[in-house]
Structure formats: structure tokens, C-alpha cells
Amino acid sequence: MENLISLVNKLQRACTALGDHGEESALPTLWDSLPAIAVVGGQSSGKSSVLESVVGKDFLPRGSGIVTRRPLVLQLHRIDGDREYAEFMHLPRKRFTDFALVRKEIADETDRETGRSKQISSVPIHLSIYSPNVVNLTLIDLPGLTKVAVEGQPDSIVQDIENMVRSFIEKPNCIILAVSPANQDLATSDAIKISREVDPKGERTFGVLTKIDLMDKGTDAVDILEGRSYRLQQQWIGVVNRSQQDINKNVDMIAARRREREYFSTTPEYKHLAHRMGSEHLAKSLSKHLETVIKSRIPGLQSLITKTIAELETELNRLGKPIATDAGGKLYTIMEICRMFDGIYKEHLDGVRPGGEKIYHVFDNQFPVAIKRLQFDKQLAMENVKKLITEADGYQPHLIAPEQGYRRLIESCLVSIRGPAEAAVDAVHAILKELVHKAINETHELKQFPTLRVEVGNAAFESLDRMRDESKKNTLKLVDMECSYLTVDFFRKLPQDVEKGGNPSHSIFDRYNDSYLRRIGTTVLAYINMVCSTLRNSIPKSIVYCQVREAKRSLLDHFFTELGAREIKQLSKLLDEDPAVMERRTNLAKRLELYRSAQAEIDAVAWSK
């Protein structure tokens, strides 16, 4: 599985290119799932020297204060031949063969991100080094832990660095390389303190002890290196870095490695540990361990990637396709979205979705109850009947029956039905508008385009207003028709009794006796009830025909007609998508491409096994 580390290197570079470097994000992060080795240590712990010894090159910026202010993802690639070179991911077509220029570029790139304010940033720098003198390995160099802020840095810098380091090493896939100087008490080691907090059992921590050669005479680090002072699952490894004098004299790294080997093999206290000491052994141990960890994580990584791809595809489908650029494509997109809305609206009316049943409630309950509340019996009280009958006779009494009085009584009652009829039209109109709101909210494609959403809603409401006006006109006509023509057969069937008409010789004010007036009221009420029964059936039919049926048939017809005349700029305005949605779709598409690529890469490695 020699290509396992190369696989993770490739995936890490792809993640960084996408902006995924393990920060809190609303999008899935692959970075956190990839095994990595994070190098942790306090300032002046020898962390930079350890990394340079592993690489065999001077390439890291040096100086006082906090020099490393961004994570450095250092990917080592073993190659055949004699050439050694470095590449930065932010400069993909440039090879560095002078490692002094590599050091300068790290400093410059840090300043580009953070400015010269000595602030820190969690955005990593990716550096790949190709050499025959390295092992395949990836290390993440983190800013050195510190206890005080230097001039030009905010007081929060101490906590900010600790938070950044913790955000890397607390992830269960991170291998911690804790660098501590041997000439200081291990109990005060910043690296050991923070690694113990996130990895209390020491299962994923490698302890590296630097500056062993600088310990006071008569003391040694054997107890630490043999794991008696602080036990870790992995063996402690001691290294002897170049001294500051060696660095100033540009002592060759190969010579420094040779002197390191000689130190451990010739020093009596460490002679028995020499086979597992030194920067070369450290690099090989880390490379081997990293391969083992990657291998164990592959099944879980495959499962996670498959699950995430499904989730990303689902959300991309929900967000919809990107917008077409030509007028025809834009018009087609708008029409398709409108058809989806129209289909959902019809489903509400037809009972596939809830809401349409409220219209039946208007016809079956609200409208009949409103008619009952008219209380015709009060309008047909004896005093009112006598008044209208008498007034209808005018200056001369009727001869056989008070026909005009009947008509006036009936008309005065029927006219009052206009109120419930109009209320029924308005109630159905309100329900149809409510269903427009529901259908708009349930049409996911409309959420993508706020302007189109508003215009579709306005167009639907305008159509419903026109339908309501037409429905009200036709519905009131039904009431007016009942007022304008009385059903003759109803009255012909009534028994005729001249005697009931009273004595014409009596005064005009008392020629109708109470019994006859009551009979007139009863007769008119019976006729009114018959008409109400008819209207209870015909008015709902009129409302359904003029409003509900038309809403199903032509809710957006006027909008479609007007839409065809719009120019491309106006169509583009309708499809003026929410920038947040556009950005999320773009990010999701990029992330989906990353995960699909990762899936293919991992599958290829898994099959090669």
C-alpha cells in the first residue's frame, strides 16, 4: 500500500483548493476524515529543527516571536534520481530548487493572508517536497504554543493559537507529534499538556524529545525515552538537532544526521536505544504508522464518502439546475416552474393535498347558516305584512288578492339573500388565495427565484380577483332572477277564498283580519324557503363554475400571455436567483466533484490491494 500516503496527499490538496481545511462549515468536510500528523510544540522547543531534519533541508522561516502563523501542510514525496525540488499549491507551475526561496515564499504567503500584523490564520499553506532522501509522509506544522503576546499582537493571540492547535489535534483522525525539549521539565511541556487533554490515553501521540545533547551534565533523558516518566502507546523518539552555530555556518544536513547517529551510538546512556533514535528513524516510524492508520480508515472513509455524495446530490436536486443563459432557455425554465406551481395548486383543489375541503365547508355549512340567520319570520311579522300589503294597494283596495303586496314581501326577503351570497363568493376567494400561498411555499423551485415567486403570486391573485368579480356578478344574478320572476304554480296551488279577504266596506286600515295576514306571511315564508332551497344548490354551482373551475383551468393564462412578450433582460430579472442559493449550489457542486473524485481515488487504491 505504498500509494496510500500519496492518496491522502492528493485528497488534502483537493480539499484545500476547495476551501475545505477543517474549519466549522455548513458544508460537509472531507478534511476532518483524512488521517494526518500534526506537529505540536512550544516556542523554542526545536519543532522547526525536527521538521528540517526529517526533510534534510533548511526551508522554514526562523526568527524571534511567533514565526509560524499559518498551518503548513508539508507533503514529502520520495522520488528516484538526484534532483530535489519543492512546489507550492498556490504556485502550481513553479518549481523551487533553491530552498532559501522556499523559506521566503512561506513568509510572503503568510503575510498575504494575515498582513504584516503578526495575526494568525487557519488557512493552510501546502508545500510538497520531492527528494530521494525523504520517506513518503505528510506533516502539518502548527504555530508554536506561547504564553505571552509579543509587541504588535493582540492579547488574545495566546488563546487563539491554542484554539487553532486544539481544533486540529482533537479530531480522532489526527496523529499528534508532540515535540518537547529535554532540557526543560516534561511537566511544563506545552505539547504534552495539550496532547494529554485531547488524547488522555496517549493512543495517537508520538513523543519527540529534542535538545538531549543540551541537558545539564549528570542528567539524562533515559526515563522519558523508555516511557517511565510519561507513558505513550508509541515509543518516545529522541533527536539531536543542529545547534544555532551549525545553522549559522550552514552545516550540511547530511553531516548533521551523521553526527546525530554518532551521538546516540557513542553516548553510554543512550547506546542501547540508538536503533530507535534520530530524525531518520522518526520519519520512517511516522510514515509506517501513517500508512497503517490510513489503511484502517479506508472502509469508514468509503462509507462516509458514499453517504455524503447521496446527501449532496439530494440537496443539489432540491436547489434546482443552474439558470439557462439564452432567452428561450429562460422562458422554458419559467414556464416549467409555473407548471409545477399550477400542478400543486390543482392538487390542493382536488384533495391530493389538504385545503380544498374548506370550499365544501363554505357550501355545506357557512352559506346555509348565513341564510338561516336572515330570520325571515321577523320580516314577515304581522305588523310588517300588514304595512306592505296595505301600502301595495295604493289608493284603491284590491279586488281578489293583494298581488303587489305579495311581490313586495317576497322581494324584500329575497334581496337580503344577496349578503350571504356575496359572503360565500368572498369566502371561497379567500380560500383560493390561501391555497396560492400554500402552493407557492410548496413549489421548491420558486424558492430559488424570489422575483419570480412574487410575480407568480401577484399574477395568481389578479386572476382570482377577476374570477371573484365575475362570480359575484353571476351569483347575484341568480338572486335577482328569483326576485324578478315568481313561480306562478306555487301560488296557483294555494286554495282561493274570497271571504278571507275581509269586507270591502270596512275602513282601508282594517279590511284585512289577523287570520288572513298570518296566512299571507305563512305563504310568503313557504315560498322564500323554496327559493332558498334552490339557491343553496345553484349558488355553489355558480361559484364553482366561475371561481374554482376557472382557477384550475386558467389561473396563470394572463401571466403566460404577457410573459411571451418579455425581452431577455426582463426574463433574467424574473430569474434573479438569491445570491446565497447560487453560492451554495456552486459550493455543493464543487464539493460533490471532490467527493466523487475521492471515491474514485480510494476505490482504485482499494482494488489495487
Side-chain angles (χ1 to χ4, degrees), residues 7 21 33 52 64 67 129 135 148 165 208 230 317 332 348 405 467 471 490 515 541:
L7 165 68
H21 36 80
S33 304
E52 289 184 331
S64 60
V67 178
I129 294 178
V135 294
V148 292
V165 171
V208 178
Y230 183 70
N317 289 335
Y332 176 80
H348 278 291
M467 294 168 192
S471 177
F490 179 85
S515 176
K541 289 180 180 179

Side-chain angles (χ1 to χ4, degrees), residues 397-555:
H398 70 274
L399 299 177
I400 299 175
E403 181 179 329
Q404 289 302 321
Y406 268 106
R407 289 188 182 278
R408 288 189 182 181
L409 278 171
I410 291 170
E411 286 175 10
S412 69
C413 290
L414 290 181
V415 164
S416 64
I417 300 176
R418 290 173 64 97
E422 283 189 280
V425 170
D426 289 336
V428 171
H429 177 68
I431 292 168
L432 293 174
K433 285 183 72 174
E434 179 188 336
L435 294 182
V436 167
H437 282 297
K438 281 190 173 184
I440 284 176
N441 289 332
E442 292 168 15
T443 307
H444 294 299
E445 291 75 10
L446 280 175
K447 293 178 182 178
Q448 191 175 336
F449 309 109
T451 305
L452 178 61
R453 178 189 174 101
V454 171
E455 289 229 17
V456 168
N458 291 340
F461 294 147
E462 287 173 10
S463 291
L464 291 178
D465 288 345
R466 285 192 295 269
M467 294 168 192
R468 176 199 56 196
D469 295 343
E470 186 67 22
S471 177
K472 195 169 285 190
K473 189 192 304 179
N474 290 332
T475 300
L476 294 179
K477 275 182 183 178
L478 292 175
V479 179
D480 293 343
M481 282 190 282
E482 295 291 349
C483 294
S484 63
Y485 185 80
L486 307 182
T487 307
V488 180
D489 287 347
F490 179 85
F491 295 97
R492 281 177 179 165
K493 291 175 184 177
L494 296 175
Q496 299 295 320
D497 188 351
V498 176
E499 293 300 323
K500 296 293 182 182
N503 190 339
S505 64
H506 290 174
S507 165
I508 191 171
F509 297 107
D510 62 6
R511 60 177 174 260
Y512 303 118
N513 58 42
D514 289 350
S515 176
Y516 187 59
L517 290 173
R518 275 195 292 272
R519 181 172 179 176
I520 289 174
T522 303
T523 302
V524 169
L525 183 60
Y527 183 77
I528 294 299
N529 287 336
M530 182 193 76
V531 172
C532 285
S533 179
T534 301
L535 290 176
R536 272 199 297 268
N537 292 322
S538 58
I539 285 177
K541 289 180 180 179
S542 172
I543 292 173
V544 168
Y545 181 83
C546 295
Q547 288 174 265
V548 182
R549 190 189 76 117
E550 280 302 296
K552 285 178 63 176
R553 189 180 69 85
S554 60
L555 184 65

